[in-house]
Amino acid sequence: VHDLRVLTKKLRAAWKIGAEVVGKEFEAERGNVLRELSALLAGNRDLAVLVNLSRDLSGRHEEPAFHDVIAHLQSEFTQVKDRKAETRVKAIIESEMEAWKRVEFSDHASEIRAHRAAIRKSREAAKRATAEALHDDEAELWHTWRKRVKRLRYQRDFLAEIQGRNPGIHDRRISRLGSRLGDRNDLANLTHLVETLGNEPGLRKVIAREERQVMGNCRRLGRRNLIRR
């Protein structure tokens, strides 16, 4: 489920970079369908991520209160499959496969310029979001930063794929920043859950320590790869 949800984000980013080729209306249509797919997958995916994160923190910090968090999360998993949602997920996947069969990318100069322009636009958006988040811990700013960086990451990967080349060092660094921003987002979600369950101080202390380290790493990567470059 996690991999499929990540794939929906990659596909949305790919449609964005190909908007000039396929048409903006068609790109918007596919984006809406993929957002629906992402929403259908979100619940159990988020629960699974928090279970794995809680297990990891529990193992590294030996905080017994994490066991209660894990038990709560596991109890939240849907016990009976939603057949209607499952059918819709399959239908969307099939429609997405059919949509991509209609797309042909070329090495025409105008198409290459359009791809590069899309990458520049995403890079500038990621750079602005980086600058705003570097000096502010506000959750919404970091959420936007994560989205902008991941779009840039997925678009660069997609461009490398259609050009038949391996991602370079800068691509890997952007990928690492996106992953670390995702880690920070998961920690923020876990903090919210702990607050909901009673705000156990031992858990908050462990999560806050992890979050400070991750945020420091994000800032270093952001400065190096998007501000100073």
Side-chain angles (χ1 to χ4, degrees), residues 207-225:
I207 297 170
R209 188 186 311 147
E210 291 282 332
E211 194 171 20
R212 283 194 299 273
Q213 292 175 353
V214 170
M215 291 174 73
N217 189 233
C218 288
R219 288 189 170 103
R220 287 191 294 273
L221 290 169
R223 289 190 184 96
R224 180 180 182 183
N225 297 303

Side-chain angles (χ1 to χ4, degrees), residues 15 18-27 100 102-105:
W15 284 120
E20 295 299 327
V21 177
V22 302
K24 292 186 178 180
E25 289 187 3
F26 188 66
E27 175 268 317
W100 279 103
R102 297 161 54 186
V103 179
E104 291 185 9
F105 290 99

